[in-house]
Amino acid sequence: ETGVTQTPRHLVMGMTNKKSLKCEQHLGHNAMYWYKQSAKKPLELMFVYSLEERVENNSVPSRFSPECPNSSHLFLHLHTLQPEDSALYLCASSQDLLRLRGTDTQYFGPGTRLTVL
Amino acid sequence: GESVGLHLPTLSVQEGDNSIINCAYSNSASDYFIWYKQESGKGPQFIIDIRSNMDKRQGQRVTVLLNKTVKHLSLQIAATQPGDSAVYFCAEINSSGGYNKLIFGAGTRLAVHP
């Protein structure tokens, strides 16, 4: 499809659990992103990575911990989440950070639907 | 679908009619705008873009209009089809922080009825 895959597609976890979301892009891109999509804020940027270096942490609580081991993979580690963290978590990639024009736009994965009980 | 649950304005149209989806943006300095389509179970997908030095851009069955005076974008879909049913987001480029990032609007749900 878009060249960006996310696993799992659905996740249910308790507030004391620790889980991780995985994103992989097969596009040779250098920048990767995590977004949160919920009823309150449809598309909210969380983290931005460029060449495995984090360049943005958009005031995200520390219970969300991103990891980018290489330019093709991005993880979001979750621990002691709250019910209000239930949302769709979307990963995206782009060729780099500097353009985002035309075909240099962001390509999104299908998302992970997270439910926190 | 993955966008179910979003409390969004909904535009309902008959199949074959034209659709117009509107969006207001916030930053008068923004110079590039994109429309994305999010179908059920999928992430947002690029539809069409427009630079601020243009008023109009046409694609296949879609047209984007930009009115910089009132900071308004619209997406026109001709001969709307059932496959056009989705949530549509506008996005503007924000260059604060030394790099480009997309700022998304709230979205509009398009429902196409046969």
Side-chain angles (χ1 to χ4, degrees):
Chain A
E1 295 240 4
T2 63
V4 181
T5 59
Q6 291 186 243
T7 54
R9 293 294 308 275
H10 300 271
L11 178 63
V12 179
M13 60 186 290
M15 289 190 285
T16 58
N17 291 159
K18 291 184 180 180
K19 296 287 184 182
S20 295
L21 310 184
K22 179 182 176 182
C23 175
E24 184 174 1
Q25 56 96 358
H26 311 274
L27 302 167
H29 288 170
N30 295 318
M32 297 187 77
Y33 312 77
W34 279 117
Y35 287 86
K36 177 183 178 180
Q37 187 174 40
S38 66
K40 293 183 179 179
K41 293 186 180 181
L43 271 165
E44 183 181 10
L45 181 65
M46 300 175 70
F47 299 104
V48 181
Y49 276 82
S50 175
L51 297 171
E52 300 124 59
E53 180 180 342
R54 190 192 310 180
V55 297
E56 173 103 5
N57 175 346
N58 198 21
S59 302
V60 179
S62 60
R63 58 186 184 269
F64 295 91
S65 175
E67 179 190 2
C68 188
N70 55 64
S71 59
S72 298
H73 293 86
L74 185 65
F75 294 90
L76 188 62
H77 303 299
L78 316 171
H79 64 98
T80 59
L81 293 192
Q82 305 297 313
E84 59 265 29
D85 296 321
S86 298
L88 181 69
Y89 289 85
L90 289 159
C91 174
S93 71
S94 65
Q95 184 60 54
D96 62 37
L97 289 180
L98 301 179
R99 291 195 288 267
L100 288 186
R101 300 286 196 268
T103 54
D104 292 328
T105 189
Q106 289 181 11
Y107 294 83
F108 285 84
T112 295
R113 170 63 65 186
L114 174 67
T115 302
V116 182
L117 301 176
Chain B
E2 296 301 354
S3 56
V4 170
L6 288 173
H7 303 308
L8 300 171
T10 298
L11 175 65
S12 294
V13 300
Q14 290 293 121
E15 182 179 357
D17 287 352
N18 296 333
S19 303
I20 300 176
I21 300 170
N22 296 304
C23 176
Y25 63 92
S26 56
N27 186 353
S28 57
S30 294
D31 65 351
Y32 181 69
F33 305 89
I34 307 174
W35 279 99
Y36 280 87
K37 172 186 180 183
Q38 186 174 20
E39 296 176 90
S40 178
K42 298 182 180 180
Q45 292 181 286
F46 174 94
I47 304 175
I48 191 168
D49 58 356
I50 188 168
R51 298 181 185 277
S52 60
N53 61 354
M54 303 170 69
D55 298 321
K56 178 179 179 179
R57 188 160 189 227
Q58 287 185 294
Q60 187 176 15
R61 278 202 310 119
V62 295
T63 301
V64 55
L65 299 178
L66 174 62
N67 184 331
K68 295 181 289 293
T69 303
V70 295
K71 293 188 286 187
H72 182 268
L73 275 169
S74 68
L75 178 71
Q76 300 179 356
I77 304 174
T80 312
Q81 302 168 359
D84 296 325
S85 293
V87 177
Y88 290 82
F89 295 94
C90 67
E92 60 185 299
I93 292 283
N94 181 308
S95 301
S96 65
Y99 63 92
N100 290 325
K101 55 187 173 184
L102 293 173
I103 307 298
F104 286 86
T108 297
R109 189 183 306 280
L110 176 65
V112 182
H113 302 287

